[in-house]
Amino acid sequence: MADPTPVIDDLCAESDELDLLVAELAPESWTLATPAPRWSIAHQIAHLAWTDHSALLAVTDQDGFRVLVEKALAAPESFVDAGAEEGAALPPAELLARWRAGRSALARALRDAPPGARFPWYGPPMSAASMATGRLMETWAHGQDVADALGVVRVPTERLRHVAHIGVRARDFAFAARSLAVPAEPFRVELTSPGGEVWGYGPEDAAQRVTGPALDFCLLVTQRAHRADLAVTATGQDADRWLDIAQSFAGPPGPGRPPKGAAA
């Protein structure tokens, strides 16, 4: 049974780093467009606040969470945007306070969760460690959108290991989400961490292989950059196909980002 404490600590650190980007923004800067169509910086933070609240309900109020799931099923194409729109309409100071309070409450709830507990989610049930890992992935990905909007280059950290882990684990989902046959062969994935260590996943002798910087792989699987702009390479037809469709998030396939220099 995995101890969730390290990943919860990393989730808090990732959130705090994003907080530093937005804490001192002038109110008008919250309306800056991010790479996500129709989403401003306020939408990005509102989405994180909304999803943290959903996760908190999943951990502490499962009846309340079921109500959210029913709303999602009733409006599968719009419920995520609706949550972001609602939060983005708040004054920036109120939105920031809501996000801070919600993520702190979630971290406490995850730390207090009974060992071995599993919680409902929009996909399969999740452990405290898996819930924290998913929240870290989303915080990092939406934080990238905020950084891009502000023209900030973030220094990658070893926390990317959690994002990479989800990206590798989601391989089969990426194929299934597009109604494609899931490869029967295991893949070998080797990623170079920000500190120079190689993170390896899968059999070392696998014919299907993916290699590259961990940062680039994480940008790919969160669909924050186009494959053509990243130094991630594939060996084998199935591995090559995966890099075109990879996603680390639940839900339908996203459109991804166009390559740099592509016409808007």
Side-chain angles (χ1 to χ4, degrees), residues 104-123:
S104 295
L106 175 60
R108 288 193 300 271
L110 290 172
R111 293 185 195 281
D112 293 341
R118 299 187 72 80
F119 309 106
W121 197 235
Y122 296 101

Side-chain angles (χ1 to χ4, degrees), residues 87-195:
L90 296 172
E94 184 177 345
L95 173 57
L96 183 58
R98 178 180 292 190
W99 175 48
R100 287 170 172 170
R103 74 186 202 238
S104 295
L106 175 60
R108 288 193 300 271
L110 290 172
R111 293 185 195 281
D112 293 341
R118 299 187 72 80
F119 309 106
W121 197 235
Y122 296 101
M126 303 179 79
S127 66
S130 295
M131 184 74 78
T133 302
R135 297 308 309 126
L136 190 155
M137 180 272 292
E138 272 222 278
T139 301
W140 180 82
H142 291 284
Q144 186 62 46
D145 293 333
V146 172
D148 288 343
L150 295 172
V152 173
V153 177
R154 300 189 296 176
V155 177
T157 73
E158 298 298 299
R159 295 190 296 271
L160 288 177
R161 180 190 289 273
H162 304 296
V163 183
H165 173 76
I166 291 182
V168 172
R169 291 280 307 268
R171 184 202 76 167
D172 291 0
F173 176 79
F175 281 87
R178 291 161 177 79
S179 300
L180 298 173
V182 174
E185 292 183 65
F187 290 5
R188 175 65 177 178
V189 179
E190 294 183 350
L191 307 173
T192 304
S193 78

Side-chain angles (χ1 to χ4, degrees), residues 18 44-53 99 135 138-139 142:
L18 175 54
Q44 300 287 347
I45 299 301
H47 174 70
L48 291 176
W50 180 87
T51 317
D52 284 344
H53 176 67
W99 175 48
R135 297 308 309 126
E138 272 222 278
T139 301
H142 291 284

Side-chain angles (χ1 to χ4, degrees), residues 188 190 201-206 209:
R188 175 65 177 178
E190 294 183 350
Y201 308 86
E204 293 186 5
D205 61 349
R209 307 178 70 84

Side-chain angles (χ1 to χ4, degrees), residues 46-66:
H47 174 70
L48 291 176
W50 180 87
T51 317
D52 284 344
H53 176 67
S54 297
L56 180 63
L57 287 180
V59 175
T60 64
D61 179 7
Q62 295 186 8
D63 288 338
F65 180 72
R66 277 192 286 273

